[in-house]
Amino acid sequence: MSGTGIITGEDGRDRCSWHGGLPEYLRYHDEEWGRPVTDDIRLFEKICLEGFQSGLSWLTILRKRENFRAAFAGFDFEKVALFDDADIERCVADAGIIRHRGKIVSTINNARRAIDLRGEFGSLAHYFWTYEPRPEERPARVDRETIAANPTTPVSVRISKDLKKRGWTFVGPTTVYAFMQAMGLVNDHLEGCYCRHDVEAMRAALVRP
């Protein structure tokens, strides 16, 4: 790996180096991260899991993702919104997930807020994609130094503030920007990563909700 943050894999392809060569992380990098998402369930799942990730590595969450899905009804926010105290205790006792009571309660709260948001905007996807940064709000070149220097952006700050006003929790600007990167609202695959071109093509073809 050079100072560019790009690493060449065993398949000869150049990629962002953050996957560290770990098979599940590499697969996540290649097949999911940065590819635009307009499905409400996936958007809700990701913003909740980013909240759980706070203070931990994403790899920790990724390895537990199926357990989270089982614990939180596949992140169907209509169902999660109906969780009660017994469900909270069930989740707190679930060794397969991160047993942080505050984050578990936050997920249930955010499910209820998601229903409100969908009622106002028609879908979570429409709400989030209205915040897609304009070209002039993006860096001229996405390189390692730019990403390292910008864990938040003015757009992620605006989304965070708006969500908090609407009663969402565990949605700070850094969490929101990680969500934006993962869900393809921005393309932060580094220059030189083979996925960058693929993601740009997907974003160009995307019908915005």
Side-chain angles (χ1 to χ4, degrees), residues 8 12 188 190:
T8 303
D188 275 352
L190 301 182

Side-chain angles (χ1 to χ4, degrees), residues 131 133-134 136-139 150-162 173 176-177 180:
Y131 283 98
R134 299 184 302 274
E136 62 268 23
E137 296 177 293
R138 294 287 295 152
N150 293 281
T152 69
T153 67
V155 174
S156 78
V157 171
R158 292 201 300 271
I159 296 174
S160 174
K161 286 182 177 179
D162 190 66
V176 170
Y177 192 60
M180 292 172 64

Side-chain angles (χ1 to χ4, degrees), residues 82-100:
L82 298 176
F83 279 20
D84 57 18
D85 288 347
D87 290 299
I88 294 172
E89 297 308 319
R90 170 180 56 79
C91 290
V92 169
D94 188 344
I97 67 171
I98 304 301
R99 296 183 290 178
H100 186 296

Side-chain angles (χ1 to χ4, degrees), residues 44-190:
F44 179 70
E45 173 187 275
K46 183 61 176 174
I47 203 160
C48 291
L49 290 182
E50 287 292 350
F52 274 101
Q53 185 268 332
S54 180
L56 303 168
S57 74
W58 173 248
L59 183 58
T60 297
I61 303 301
L62 185 63
R63 286 171 169 167
K64 294 176 179 287
R65 186 166 62 174
E66 290 305 320
N67 297 332
F68 274 107
R69 287 171 174 169
F72 288 101
F75 287 95
D76 181 334
F77 49 89
E78 291 272 5
K79 295 178 180 177
V80 178
L82 298 176
F83 279 20
D84 57 18
D85 288 347
D87 290 299
I88 294 172
E89 297 308 319
R90 170 180 56 79
C91 290
V92 169
D94 188 344
I97 67 171
I98 304 301
R99 296 183 290 178
H100 186 296
R101 184 179 295 272
K103 294 177 181 180
I104 290 166
V105 171
S106 173
T107 299
I108 300 167
N109 168 74
N110 290 350
R112 296 166 183 165
R113 304 291 78 76
I115 292 172
D116 295 340
L117 198 67
R118 185 185 60 189
E120 182 176 349
F121 290 90
S123 67
L124 270 63
H126 179 66
Y127 170 81
F128 284 117
W129 279 92
T130 60
Y131 283 98
E132 181 183 9
R134 299 184 302 274
E136 62 268 23
E137 296 177 293
R138 294 287 295 152
R141 179 178 175 81
V142 178
D143 55 26
R144 189 180 193 181
E145 290 72 25
T146 300
I147 296 298
N150 293 281
T152 69
T153 67
V155 174
S156 78
V157 171
R158 292 201 300 271
I159 296 174
S160 174
K161 286 182 177 179
D162 190 66
L163 288 174
K164 288 177 180 178
K165 282 197 302 183
R166 295 172 182 279
W168 291 63
T169 51
F170 283 94
V171 286
T174 302
T175 293
V176 170
Y177 192 60
F179 164 83
M180 292 172 64
Q181 291 174 306
M183 297 289 95
L185 275 77
V186 296
N187 181 5
D188 275 352
H189 282 281
L190 301 182

